[in-house]
Amino acid sequence: MTDAHRETPTILSPTAEAPVEGLPPGFGEGIAGKAAFLIAIAFSIFQIYIAAYGSLPSQVVRAMHVGFLLLLCFALIANLRATSTLAKAAFWALGVLGFATGLYNWVFYADLIRRSGFLTTPDLIVGAVLIVLVFEAARRLMGLPLALIAFIFLAYAFAGNHLPAPFIHRGYDFAQLIDTFAFGTEGIYGTPVYVSATYIFIFVVFAAFLERAGMIALFNDFALGLVGTWRGGPAQVCVLSSALMGTISGSGVANVVASGQFTIPLMKRFGLRSAFAGAVEATSSMGGQIMPPVMGAVAFIMAETLNIPYAEVVKAAIIPALLYFGACFWQVYLEAGKAGLQGMAKADLPNPWDAVRRHWPLVLPLAALIYLLFAGYTPIFAGTMGLALTIVLILGTPLAALIGPLAFRIVFWLALGLAAASFLEFGVNILSLVIAGLIVACVTFKGGRETLQICVDSLAEGAKNALPVGIACAIVGVVIGTLTLTGIASTFIGWIISIGENNLFLSLVLTMLTCLVLGMGIPTIPNYIITSSLAGPALLSLGVPLVVSHMFVFYFGIMADLTPPVALAAFAAAPMAKESGLKIGIQATKLAVAGFVVPFMAVYTPALMLQDPGPIAAQFGYPIEVAYIVAKACMGIALWGAAAVGFLARRMAWWERLVAFAAGALLVAALPLTDEAGWALSLVWISWHCWRARQATGTA
């Protein structure tokens, strides 16, 4: 047995805090570090209070959310990046200035409404400062590309009246642009910031609490025990644990950095190629954004933009997510078979069900969250209650440990559970009282103060983790404001529609390329917002169902982080894999085959996303149509996976890979007779290939 096998039960348990986008771990040293830590806690408490009671006007909440984002962002830049005392002081001053813009909107809220469209000189100064600070925060935290794209849109709003047709607009003065971008609800304080200030922040803090409570350990142990013995065991564990973490965190590039430092070396020691190991981590981590029930931040923005229940977005994502991760599992299985690797020894792996039995209370808040989301409650209510129940669970654990007899502990948990669950009948106040009582008890009894520190740390980490999402939502408001004000989106939409009148497939390819190009250096959230604003209405006018058109854009926004030449997730995995980011990106593109296939299939057969029924449903019923389309998608993905890896039952010749690819393409095409031809070619080729493999084995 190898050393790698002996290490596997513990190797996946990270102990180091993951960096947040471009920020190092921690909050800084000395008084400045403590100040940043307290700001993060205050930020979380403010947002949780607003989510629970909602006592402030929406515009004030948005402004204060951005103010807190700027304050915490520049404070952390000062503490963690600045090298000179002068630079530290300058960044702290920028943070305070950013927070002051939020306070300005709060203090003068009524006055700003009364003089909307007729801003005073102080209003114009505050608005201009806000725009500059948002750009600088985005540049410092997320790099130049996103800030540069937003600046191009901003420059177009200022100077587009000097451009030739069809790009010319009527022109806008400085005051009107400041009003739109810095005070209206179509600019920085637009829908993305509203979603960040309500749904997204709560779920990010919720994930931080679950991670501190041990949810990562539960997922890792469960994944190790369940799939560790499969062929390519460590890579299969990486895929499953990322899928599970996606249910609560919507993991992305940051998850690659956080977990890749453990999973990638393990996969390499097990015998998998460096590029492939990095690709598995990148692909599965990015897939967390499409994994229900929580998914990534884009799902909340989509629900708010389309004005549909969040459950509808989750419903549309279920089958594609299963296909995406199924494709990852399948290609890992094939790659391991091609390399002659087997699974890990069962004796050295944890029992997955023992892990569930040990940590089952952690599942309860997640189960409550899922129930509330699908019972019709709003995401902000479901997220707030899920977070509150997690806090109750964490605070109750040291108190239960003080109770000797098992029967008394059971009674304690039942009483606490009933008290916590009473929020459905009596509202959030009763849950607040339960938490307050537990806090007092933890201060009083032994072991409780350490538990309170876990909660405090989770509040701070949650606020820090929300920074990249919040800043991205703020700066992308400049893009939305430009599109709304100038009407340039209608020019793009008209162009797509004119092409799609003759060829819908070509329109889809152009939309896909737009997403991939925009994704060269900008995160999924602004990528989705920009592209859906441009291409979403065009696809809808071409007959693509509303949710499907936005999911199409969503998927390719994620694929942009895996697709060369930029491939942010692949390059994030490169240092840990000690391999070229370009090579990892090429492997990740193969692994994510479902991410490229499913959106196109869903446009032509929306039942794949549980949307509009098609002709099969009219003849045989909707469930039959869904089952058939899923089976067809599975076969197509299986064939393309085999073609990409070059292995099924044995190594494949080049012409066999072409046949497998062609058979998969026929199944995906959804044209008359292509299904029949695809199924026939698939079954004939698979039968022949397996027969040849058996013959070769028998000969050997």
Side-chain angles (χ1 to χ4, degrees):
M1 188 176 301
T2 66
D3 292 339
H5 290 166
R6 295 190 187 98
E7 293 178 3
T8 47
T10 58
I11 197 70
L12 291 175
S13 301
T15 56
E17 177 198 335
V20 176
E21 290 295 332
L23 292 174
F27 289 85
E29 301 294 333
I31 296 176
K34 291 178 181 178
F37 186 77
L38 292 175
I39 289 169
I41 294 171
F43 190 8
S44 289
I45 292 174
F46 171 79
Q47 293 291 165
I48 293 170
Y49 177 83
I50 293 301
Y53 294 100
S55 57
L56 289 177
S58 176
Q59 187 76 1
V60 172
V61 172
R62 301 179 198 204
M64 289 301 299
H65 181 72
V66 174
F68 266 117
L69 287 170
L70 294 174
L71 175 59
L72 183 58
C73 176
F74 285 115
L76 291 175
I77 291 171
N79 292 352
L80 302 175
R81 283 195 192 164
T83 55
S84 68
T85 304
L86 182 61
K88 290 178 187 291
F91 282 122
W92 269 101
L94 292 178
V96 172
L97 201 59
F99 188 70
T101 64
L103 291 176
Y104 187 87
N105 277 268
W106 192 349
V107 173
F108 298 104
Y109 170 68
D111 296 330
L112 287 170
I113 290 179
R114 281 195 294 268
R115 59 176 180 254
S116 179
F118 301 93
L119 301 181
T120 63
T121 299
D123 296 340
L124 294 175
I125 293 173
V126 170
V129 167
L130 173 65
I131 294 171
V132 170
L133 290 178
V134 166
F135 269 87
E136 180 63 7
R139 186 182 72 85
R140 293 278 181 177
L141 188 64
M142 314 186 75
L144 186 61
L146 177 56
L148 184 60
I149 289 174
F151 180 78
I152 291 171
F153 277 87
L154 182 65
Y156 175 72
F158 272 96
N161 55 316
H162 301 296
L163 295 177
F167 303 106
I168 189 171
H169 59 68
R170 66 179 181 85
Y172 308 94
D173 60 27
F174 180 78
Q176 187 173 1
L177 291 173
I178 295 296
D179 191 26
T180 298
F181 292 129
F183 291 99
T185 55
E186 296 293 340
I188 289 173
Y189 298 144
T191 298
V193 159
Y194 167 72
V195 177
S196 175
T198 51
Y199 311 150
I200 296 173
F201 192 96
I202 291 299
F203 278 90
V204 170
V205 176
F206 176 53
F209 269 89
L210 282 178
E211 289 173 13
R212 287 278 178 169
M215 184 63 86
I216 292 179
L218 169 59
F219 285 159
N220 285 339
D221 286 348
F222 184 78
L224 274 167
L226 196 65
V227 301
T229 57
W230 293 9
R231 184 194 288 175
Q236 304 286 20
V237 170
C238 176
V239 174
L240 180 58
S241 61
S242 292
L244 292 172
M245 276 306 299
T247 62
I248 62 169
S249 66
S251 56
V253 175
N255 195 38
V256 175
V257 179
S259 59
Q261 57 186 313
F262 303 98
T263 59
I264 292 174
L266 176 61
M267 286 186 274
K268 289 177 63 177
R269 285 199 297 273
F270 192 75
L272 291 169
R273 293 179 293 115
S274 296
F276 188 81
V280 170
E281 177 59 49
T283 307
S284 54
S285 289
M286 293 307 299
Q289 295 180 83
I290 58 172
M291 189 65 185
V294 176
M295 304 171 63
V298 170
F300 297 107
I301 296 174
M302 187 188 301
E304 189 66 28
T305 301
L306 301 181
N307 195 26
I308 60 174
Y310 178 74
E312 288 296 312
V313 177
V314 171
K315 185 180 78 171
I318 288 174
I319 294 176
L322 294 176
L323 292 173
Y324 181 94
F325 282 102
C328 291
F329 280 121
W330 173 242
Q331 289 193 62
V332 165
Y333 183 83
L334 295 178
E335 180 71 23
K338 183 179 179 180
L341 303 174
Q342 297 301 316
M344 294 181 281
K346 187 174 182 179
D348 289 336
L349 298 176
N351 185 313
W353 307 113
D354 282 346
V356 173
R357 280 192 290 271
R358 286 197 310 272
H359 302 289
W360 66 267
L362 294 174
V363 181
L364 296 180
L366 190 58
L369 173 70
I370 295 171
Y371 166 76
L372 292 172
L373 284 174
F374 284 93
Y377 292 92
T378 63
I380 189 170
F381 179 83
T384 305
M385 293 305 104
L387 172 60
L389 292 174
T390 305
I391 295 173
V392 168
L393 179 68
I394 293 173
L395 294 177
T397 299
L399 302 179
L402 297 174
I403 302 173
L406 175 62
F408 288 171
R409 287 203 300 273
I410 293 174
V411 170
F412 169 80
W413 281 117
L414 286 175
L416 191 59
L418 289 173
S422 63
F423 72 87
L424 286 173
E425 182 69 26
F426 302 106
V428 70
N429 285 332
I430 188 70
L431 199 50
S432 299
L433 290 174
V434 170
I435 292 173
L438 289 172
I439 291 173
V440 172
C442 284
V443 171
T444 306
F445 294 104
K446 181 182 177 181
R449 293 179 183 175
E450 291 81 356
T451 304
L452 287 176
Q453 188 61 49
I454 291 175
C455 293
V456 170
D457 290 342
S458 299
L459 288 172
E461 287 299 328
K464 186 181 179 183
N465 293 342
L467 277 179
V469 177
I471 294 296
C473 287
I475 194 170
V476 85
V478 173
V479 176
I480 294 177
T482 301
L483 295 175
T484 304
L485 192 64
T486 64
I488 186 62
S490 61
T491 302
F492 184 87
I493 292 167
W495 182 53
I496 292 290
I497 292 173
S498 65
I499 295 172
E501 286 175 346
N502 301 316
N503 194 327
L504 174 60
F505 180 76
L506 183 57
S507 292
L508 295 174
V509 171
L510 289 172
T511 303
M512 175 189 74
L513 292 175
T514 301
C515 293
L516 296 179
V517 171
L518 274 178
M520 291 183 181
I522 70 172
T524 307
I525 294 169
N527 189 348
Y528 162 76
I529 293 171
I530 295 169
T531 316
S532 64
S533 301
L534 292 170
L539 295 180
L540 180 64
S541 65
L542 293 172
V544 181
L546 184 64
V547 174
V548 174
S549 65
H550 279 253
M551 289 294 288
F552 185 92
V553 172
F554 180 16
Y555 260 73
F556 285 110
I558 293 173
M559 293 301 102
D561 280 336
L562 298 173
T563 309
V566 177
L568 291 179
F571 278 92
M576 293 164 284
K578 294 181 172 58
E579 183 57 274
S580 159
L582 184 61
K583 291 182 179 179
I584 293 174
I586 293 171
Q587 290 292 327
T589 303
K590 296 177 183 178
L591 274 171
V593 61
F596 291 93
V597 174
V598 168
F600 281 93
M601 290 188 70
V603 168
Y604 292 99
T605 52
L608 189 63
M609 290 185 178
L610 302 179
Q611 299 300 304
D612 300 349
I616 298 177
Q619 188 171 358
F620 300 103
Y622 191 63
I624 298 297
E625 180 179 34
V626 172
Y628 172 73
I629 292 170
V630 170
K632 189 172 73 162
C634 288
M635 178 60 81
I637 289 169
L639 290 167
W640 280 7
V645 175
F647 183 88
L648 186 59
R650 57 173 292 183
R651 288 180 179 267
M652 295 160 54
W654 65 268
W655 64 267
E656 289 185 274
R657 298 171 79 164
L658 286 179
V659 171
F661 180 83
L666 287 171
L667 290 170
V668 171
L671 297 172
L673 298 180
T674 55
D675 278 9
E676 292 82 350
W679 282 113
L681 182 58
S682 301
L683 295 175
V684 168
W685 176 79
I686 290 173
S687 300
W688 180 86
H689 177 83
C690 292
W691 177 75
R692 285 295 303 270
R694 283 197 298 270
Q695 289 289 103
T697 304
T699 303

